[in-house]
């Protein structure tokens, strides 16, 4: 049964709709003369979203296999796929499980390590909704085991999860105010979710619901939007590198645990809330204070490359985005090795693009390497001599554009 199972592709099909809504939000920002987007931040956000989808291809089988196994051998009941009430119950149950998964991802260090990437952006717009982890899927499936035990079919479970994710897209915006008393009381709304992403002390670790806000009201984690929100993480990432964004907190925990004395304290490093500092000498364990912030004084991470580098990286990013969308649509037609090679190339490309935006010293070497690697992949995929010739021509044009962009960038640095 598992071998022949085809997961619902709702999120993939929803991607074009996401970009239509992003375009509308950009237009609203222009009309109201408010800067809702920064190009560099948006590229960084979407880079993590692409990596999340590609890396997720190699993780979803773990949770899906576990869900299938528990469903097949330990379920208490069984709900028919054509039962509408079963769908309602599954959607509500899915959101209940999501609430606890999401809440604990903010309250347990090792879970926060997989979720923190979603909060790194210092902007708040629809693109931020697509900023997702590439590694968190390894453990989050555990929270949905109750749905398998109750007897919701795997297809229903996955479909409900994707509907939950699609719903959460629209709440990542500053362009929508409040939606009325009933909606604000029952549902997770843009107002509620702005609170969730804010780093103001009164907003920390609040409003975890996906579709419904009633879980936060029931379990004491609800907070009304009151003062202006400042977005990001208490400890700013200050990097657009999508791989570093995925792994940095895991590495910080490992390093802190290694440096901490006492076996129990080494374990607690992974289980305590973010900000926990283990005891050292006469100093007891404590939590770092959450600093006060305000929109007027908060300084965002905002590298500003030359116009040539900006145009080069934007063009390449759009190309990678379109290629990745097409790849995800037809991913089942590619062998596992092809999926791995493509994921590696895209990962290298996105790291290189963001490194160029940040003017990293090693960006040029990585860019040259990933261009050559991409050219070699054309031969591996054996798409025919025409595509190979087009790829060679594109490589040459990209190389010339890249050389000019780098030369212009160096000239500006010298002049500065």
């Amino acid at each position: 049964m598992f071998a022949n199972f085809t997961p619902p592709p709702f999120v993939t099909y929803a991607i074009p709709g996401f970009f239509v809504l992003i375009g509308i939000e950009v237009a609203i920002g222009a009309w109201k003369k408010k800067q809702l987007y920064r190009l560099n931040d948006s590229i960084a956000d979407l880079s993590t979203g692409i990596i999340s989808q590609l890396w997720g291809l190699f993780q979803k089988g773990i949770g899906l296999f576990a869900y299938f196994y528990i469903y097949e051998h330990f379920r208490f009941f069984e709900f028919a796929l054509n039962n509408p009430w079963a769908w309602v119950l599954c959607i509500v149950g899915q959101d209940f499980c999501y609430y606890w998964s999401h809440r604990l991802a903010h309250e347990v260090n090792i879970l926060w390590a997989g979720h923190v990437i979603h909060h790194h952006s210092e902007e708040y717009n629809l693109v931020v909704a697509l900023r997702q982890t590439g590694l968190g899927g390894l453990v989050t499936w555990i929270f949905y085991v109750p749905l398998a035990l109750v007897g919701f079919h795997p297809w229903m479970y996955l479909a409900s999860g994707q509907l939950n994710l699609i719903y959460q897209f629209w709440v990542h915006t500053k362009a929508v105010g409040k939606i009325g008393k009933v909606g604000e009381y029952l549902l997770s709304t843009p107002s509620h979710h702005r609170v969730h992403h804010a780093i103001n002390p009164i907003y920390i670790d609040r409003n975890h619901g996906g579709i419904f806000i009633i879980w936060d009201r029931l379990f004491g984690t609800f907070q009304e939007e009151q003062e202006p929100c400042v977005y990001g993480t208490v400890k700013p990432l200050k990097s657009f590198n999508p791989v570093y964004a995925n792994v940095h907190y895991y590495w910080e925990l490992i390093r802190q645990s290694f440096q901490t004395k006492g076996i129990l304290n080494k374990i607690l490093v992974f289980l305590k809330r973010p900000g926990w500092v283990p005891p050292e000498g006469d100093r007891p364990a404590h939590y770092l204070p959450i600093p006060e912030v305000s929109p007027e004084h908060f300084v965002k991470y905002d590298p500003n490359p030359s116009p040539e580098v900006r145009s080069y990286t934007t063009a390449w990013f759009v190309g990678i985005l379109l290629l990745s969308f097409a790849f995800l649509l037809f991913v089942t037609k590619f062998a596992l090795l092809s999926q791995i090679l493509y994921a590696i190339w895209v990962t290298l490309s996105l790291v290189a693009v963001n490194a160029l935006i940040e003017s990293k010293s090693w960006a040029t070497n990585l860019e040259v390497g990933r261009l050559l690697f991409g050219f070699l992949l054309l031969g591996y995929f054996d798409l025919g001599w025409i595509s190979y010739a087009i790829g060679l021509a594109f490589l040459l044009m990209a190389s010339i554009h890249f050389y000019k962009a780098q030369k212009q960038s160096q000239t500006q640095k010298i002049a500065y």
Side-chain angles (χ1 to χ4, degrees):
M1 184 178 179
F2 178 75
N4 298 320
F5 182 79
T6 303
F10 296 164
V11 171
T12 301
Y13 291 152
I15 289 175
F18 290 163
F19 282 95
V20 170
L21 291 176
I22 289 169
I24 294 173
E25 187 181 39
V26 171
I28 290 174
W31 176 53
K32 293 185 176 181
K33 297 181 179 180
K34 293 183 178 179
Q35 186 184 25
L36 301 179
Y37 284 85
R38 284 183 292 134
L39 180 63
N40 53 16
D41 183 83
S42 295
I43 288 177
D45 292 342
L46 290 170
S47 295
T48 64
I50 294 171
I51 285 179
S52 173
Q53 290 295 306
L54 292 177
W55 290 11
L57 295 173
F58 313 107
Q59 303 170 44
K60 292 176 181 177
I62 300 172
L64 187 55
F65 176 81
Y67 191 96
F68 253 101
Y69 187 85
I70 295 168
Y71 174 82
E72 286 290 318
H73 295 89
F74 301 105
R75 68 178 182 267
F76 303 134
F77 311 101
E78 183 175 356
F79 294 98
L81 280 171
N82 61 355
N83 183 342
W85 286 110
W87 279 94
V88 172
L89 288 173
C90 190
I91 290 171
V92 173
Q94 174 88 224
D95 199 63
F96 178 75
C97 294
Y98 174 83
Y99 167 82
W100 285 105
S101 170
H102 194 188
R103 176 174 173 172
L104 291 177
H106 281 256
E107 297 178 353
V108 180
N109 256 330
I110 189 62
L111 300 179
W112 175 243
H115 182 62
V116 63
I117 188 173
H118 180 60
H119 287 262
H120 280 142
S121 177
E122 294 167 348
E123 300 296 336
Y124 192 74
N125 50 53
L126 292 175
V127 167
V128 174
L130 305 179
R131 184 183 181 93
Q132 298 291 335
T133 176
L135 298 172
L138 290 170
V139 296
T140 53
W141 61 269
I142 297 172
F143 291 91
Y144 300 94
V145 166
L147 298 179
L149 291 172
V150 171
F152 293 109
H153 189 278
W155 203 93
M156 187 184 294
Y157 151 69
L158 289 176
S160 298
Q162 293 200 29
L163 291 174
N164 191 295
L165 191 62
I166 291 170
Y167 175 89
Q168 290 185 55
F169 177 78
W170 85 283
V171 301
H172 291 81
T173 183
K174 293 189 288 187
V176 176
K178 297 193 175 185
I179 64 171
K181 290 184 178 180
V182 176
E184 292 291 326
Y185 187 83
L186 296 175
L187 300 175
S188 176
T189 66
S191 176
H192 298 329
H193 208 65
R194 286 193 290 269
V195 166
H196 178 73
H197 273 258
I199 56 174
N200 310 51
I202 66 167
Y203 293 155
I204 293 293
D205 296 341
R206 292 291 183 265
N207 298 359
H208 303 292
I211 296 177
F212 305 108
I213 202 66
I214 53 175
W215 314 123
D216 292 281
R217 295 185 185 276
L218 285 172
F219 299 112
T221 53
F222 176 74
Q223 172 63 49
E224 193 80 30
E225 184 179 20
Q226 296 174 348
E227 61 187 45
C229 297
V230 178
Y231 303 102
T233 49
V234 174
K235 181 182 178 182
L237 182 65
K238 294 184 179 179
S239 172
F240 288 156
N241 185 327
V243 173
Y244 177 68
N246 270 286
V247 303
H248 80 98
Y249 202 80
Y250 290 105
W251 174 243
E252 288 180 19
L253 291 179
I254 293 171
R255 186 175 58 183
Q256 186 183 34
S257 180
F258 180 79
Q259 295 172 347
T260 298
K261 295 181 179 179
I263 297 298
L264 178 60
N265 288 326
K266 289 180 181 293
I267 296 173
L268 288 177
V269 165
F270 297 94
L271 301 181
K272 286 289 188 177
R273 284 177 176 269
W276 185 73
V277 179
E280 183 178 356
D282 295 331
R283 186 192 62 180
H286 62 282
Y287 284 93
L288 296 173
I290 299 170
E292 294 288 343
V293 290
S294 67
E296 295 79 17
H297 300 100
F298 186 75
V299 179
K300 299 176 181 178
Y301 180 67
D302 192 25
N304 186 28
S306 67
E308 291 76 17
V309 171
R310 191 180 303 118
S311 64
Y312 176 81
T313 53
T314 302
W316 257 115
F317 176 77
V318 171
I320 295 166
L321 178 67
L322 294 175
L323 282 173
S324 297
F325 177 62
F327 180 81
L328 289 169
L329 282 177
F330 302 102
V331 67
T332 56
K333 299 183 181 297
F334 292 90
L336 178 60
L337 180 59
S338 298
Q339 294 179 23
I340 293 172
L341 289 173
Y342 180 77
I344 291 173
W345 179 77
V346 168
T347 300
L348 291 174
S349 297
L350 293 174
V351 171
V353 163
N354 284 280
L356 288 169
I357 292 172
E358 295 180 293
S359 301
K360 297 293 185 182
S361 59
W362 43 269
T364 300
N365 291 336
L366 180 59
E367 176 66 6
V368 172
R370 72 99 186 176
L371 287 173
L372 293 173
F373 181 43
F375 183 66
L376 293 174
L377 280 184
L378 287 175
Y380 168 79
F381 281 107
D382 192 20
L383 300 176
W385 70 268
I386 294 179
S387 62
Y388 210 66
I390 293 173
L392 179 59
F394 189 78
L395 176 64
L396 290 173
M397 287 188 295
S399 300
I400 293 170
H401 190 169
F402 176 62
Y403 172 77
K404 289 181 177 179
Q406 289 296 94
K407 188 174 181 180
Q408 181 65 29
S409 180
Q410 290 299 324
T411 301
Q412 287 184 353
K413 286 182 180 179
I414 293 172
Y416 179 79

